Amino acid sequence: MSILDKFAGIQHAHDALTALGIDPLAVEFDAMTSPCEGVIDGRKVLILGSNNYLGLTYDPAVIDRGVDALRAFGSGTTGSRIANGTYRGHKELELRLAGFFGRRHAMIFSTGYQANLATISTLAGKDDTILIDADSHASIYDACRMGNAQVIRFRHNDPADLAKRLKRLDGQPGEKLIVIEGIYSMLGDRAPVAEIAAVTRAAGATLLADEAHSFGVLGRNGRGAAEEAGVERDVDFVVGTFSKSLGGIGGFCVSDVPGFDILRLVCRPYMFTASLPPAVVACTLAALERIATDPSLRQRLAANAERFYRGLEAAGFALGPQISPIVSVRLSDVSMAAQFWKALLEAGVYVNLALPPATPTSEPLLRTSVTAAHTSAQIDKALGVFADIGTRLGAIGT
Amino acid sequence: MLSEQDIVEVIVTHLRERLPPDTAIGPQSTIMGDLGLDSLAVMNFVMWLEENFDISVPMDRLIEVETVADLARVLHSLGAQKAS
């Protein structure tokens, strides 16, 4: 008997994959040669499985700012924001983020995961109710578990179902917090933000949007799905991450809600962890400046997303419902998905293998993502590899 | 309002249509053990039950559920109304 015996089922499933020579967890990048190319086992690979949407990880200005901060402020803060961990850069980044989003307040966190954990678990108290989209990211589910509020799920991207569930709560005391994501990370589909905002407003509830995958990607200014839908003022709290379009690590929450700064005294995942290292903050500031001033990044990303989605669609693959930088190939069974993933890697194309129950349905996914840094030639090469393997394995053309 | 027994019957009928024919399903069947539903299937099943009985099931109420009878008890306590 071991305390780990409870995980035997998961271990068994993992063993079954590794027995076939397939272990996504064992992939190591020995080197990175660009935002979308790396080296695995001595072989150059094209990366179509990152969240580096704007390709800023090697931006010279980003790196220079990070190096300068590293030399000036050292490698880490060694403390939390409420103790010794607030440096000038943290305050500057909060000001810049608030400005970018046109909001009065901003708070930064050490990861995007913690941003959700902190805000959601704190905003909703024990007499309140959180209503979350059923396809929410693990950080949202974990935030709900950490807090004391009642938690109800509504059908994915279904404002009518949300309205029905809010109606069932009529007369029940306490605040209602609705939580959605701008773009959902598995299939790349967008939330119907305008419709959900209307339902939220009608119910007198509070709306929080996690724009982790849509910040820097959607909207005329890159402010996300709420900007694209024209309903930014209806979103009370916007949460996001620095680890995707900004190419670093960290998370944030922006808001116009009066009294916002009280969260600094009550959000435990903000209070009891070390603050972001100065170099990360400096890189993030530089990347934020870039996305605020260079809309061509988003335009290139959108063009690459459309090229890749249309190409896979024309080849006959089953995909997510909408064009977005996340392009997921839906396959019929786990064995085919695993073989496909392995064949792609052997052919020099790295993607993410997503298996149920971590997927929205029982279908396994080859989750891919494009970046603004991919060239048309790279996208076309990947399309060719996908079509060859798909034909060989019977995923298309049958 | 439906009785717990009524709710058990709805659950068993629904599962019988979806699980392999030789699966034994009764009030004491454990949902993730005996019936083999994974976490995704359980959550989808709960969505169907919520629709069917016109209720919302708070997630913390699922912690106490292991068997079909446990599930019926939770749904009954939440005021499961009607089987469509």
Side-chain angles (χ1 to χ4, degrees):
Chain A
M1 282 290 287
S2 159
I3 198 167
L4 301 177
D5 284 351
K6 62 176 84 65
F7 305 115
I10 294 169
Q11 185 66 56
H12 179 72
H14 185 248
D15 290 347
L17 270 183
T18 54
L20 299 170
I22 294 157
D23 186 2
L25 302 182
V27 170
E28 289 178 17
F29 290 96
D30 302 322
M32 296 294 292
T33 52
S34 82
C36 53
E37 293 164 301
V39 177
I40 297 173
D41 285 339
R43 196 169 50 228
K44 196 170 174 182
V45 293
L46 179 61
I47 299 170
L48 279 143
S50 73
N51 300 304
N52 194 3
Y53 298 125
L54 300 180
L56 292 180
T57 47
Y58 283 83
D59 183 272
V62 169
I63 289 177
D64 286 349
R65 286 278 285 277
V67 169
D68 289 348
L70 185 60
R71 292 194 187 287
F73 289 94
S75 58
T77 66
T78 75
S80 68
R81 292 290 303 277
I82 59 168
N84 54 308
T86 296
Y87 287 20
R88 192 176 67 202
H90 296 105
K91 298 301 285 184
E92 185 184 354
L93 181 53
E94 287 175 342
L95 273 173
R96 299 277 180 194
L97 277 166
F100 181 85
F101 280 93
R103 302 280 186 160
R104 282 198 283 274
H105 310 286
M107 249 172 106
I108 61 172
F109 302 87
S110 299
T111 67
Y113 175 89
Q114 282 168 298
N116 270 337
L117 209 60
T119 52
I120 296 168
S121 70
T122 308
L123 288 171
K126 74 176 176 57
D127 298 323
D128 301 328
T129 302
I130 309 174
L131 295 104
I132 64 171
D133 186 287
D135 284 6
S136 289
H137 186 261
S139 58
I140 294 171
Y141 276 97
D142 291 354
C144 291
R145 290 175 66 176
M146 183 175 171
N148 298 309
Q150 172 178 262
V151 181
I152 290 170
R153 303 179 322 144
F154 60 91
R155 284 190 187 279
H156 175 53
N157 276 351
D158 189 338
D161 189 55
L162 171 62
K164 191 160 58 180
R165 289 169 190 274
L166 281 164
K167 190 160 172 27
R168 288 184 191 135
L169 295 170
D170 267 356
Q172 186 169 311
E175 302 288 331
K176 278 84 182 174
L177 175 67
I178 319 291
V179 180
I180 59 169
E181 297 178 42
I183 291 178
Y184 286 86
S185 64
M186 280 290 123
L187 289 173
D189 48 336
R190 292 167 172 71
V193 188
E195 293 81 356
I196 285 175
V199 170
T200 304
R201 203 170 49 239
T206 299
L207 181 57
L208 182 150
D210 176 2
E211 301 267 19
H213 290 273
S214 38
F215 167 45
V217 172
L218 298 182
R220 198 167 68 83
N221 297 290
R223 294 200 292 257
E227 184 190 21
E228 183 181 64
V231 293
E232 284 181 279
R233 294 301 121 195
D234 286 337
V235 179
D236 302 285
F237 297 90
V238 175
V239 173
T241 179
F242 308 143
S243 64
K244 297 180 172 45
S245 57
L246 293 186
I249 190 166
F252 67 89
C253 177
V254 297
S255 177
D256 284 328
V257 172
F260 177 87
D261 278 338
I262 191 64
L263 293 176
R264 296 183 194 276
L265 302 179
V266 292
C267 271
R268 298 175 68 84
Y270 171 87
M271 298 165 70
F272 299 109
T273 193
S275 61
L276 285 170
V280 170
V281 172
C283 288
T284 305
L285 274 163
L288 185 63
E289 279 176 27
R290 181 78 197 279
I291 71 168
T293 55
D294 187 358
S296 74
L297 290 170
R298 280 189 297 288
Q299 289 155 9
R300 280 207 299 281
L301 175 64
N304 282 345
E306 174 148 17
R307 188 180 190 94
F308 195 51
Y309 186 98
R310 294 287 183 218
L312 289 174
E313 185 180 52
F317 287 104
L319 306 174
Q322 286 172 296
I323 296 175
S324 92
I326 299 166
V327 185
S328 284
V329 174
R330 294 158 38 216
L331 293 168
S332 55
D333 64 82
V334 168
S335 171
M336 176 183 283
Q339 289 176 61
F340 207 133
W341 177 85
K342 186 181 178 195
L344 283 168
L345 193 56
E346 287 168 353
V349 176
Y350 173 78
V351 305
N352 305 130
L353 176 62
L355 301 178
T359 48
T361 71
S362 57
E363 291 175 320
L365 302 173
L366 294 173
R367 179 194 180 275
T368 76
S369 52
V370 298
T371 78
H374 283 109
T375 64
S376 297
Q378 288 173 324
I379 301 251
D380 291 347
K381 179 191 163 190
L383 286 170
V385 172
F386 261 91
D388 287 347
I389 297 170
T391 303
R392 177 153 50 89
L393 295 180
I396 52 173
T398 54
Chain B
M1 197 163 120
L2 295 168
S3 69
E4 283 184 35
Q5 183 54 40
D6 294 334
I7 297 169
V8 166
E9 282 173 20
V10 172
I11 293 172
V12 169
T13 302
H14 182 81
L15 290 173
R16 193 155 279 145
E17 288 167 4
R18 283 155 185 82
L19 293 175
D22 55 347
T23 309
I25 310 173
Q28 296 312 313
S29 304
T30 59
I31 294 167
M32 296 185 80
D34 298 338
L35 305 182
L37 272 66
D38 64 20
S39 56
L40 177 64
V42 168
M43 296 316 273
N44 288 335
F45 182 41
V46 170
M47 277 275 181
W48 181 85
L49 292 167
E50 290 175 313
E51 184 77 26
N52 191 70
F53 293 124
D54 194 23
I55 53 174
S56 295
V57 181
M59 289 186 64
D60 62 335
R61 297 299 306 276
L62 295 174
I63 294 167
E64 62 196 83
V65 171
E66 274 197 48
T67 65
V68 168
D70 296 337
L71 182 56
R73 189 159 46 250
V74 167
L75 299 175
H76 181 261
S77 73
L78 291 167
Q81 292 288 337
K82 59 180 168 62
S84 59

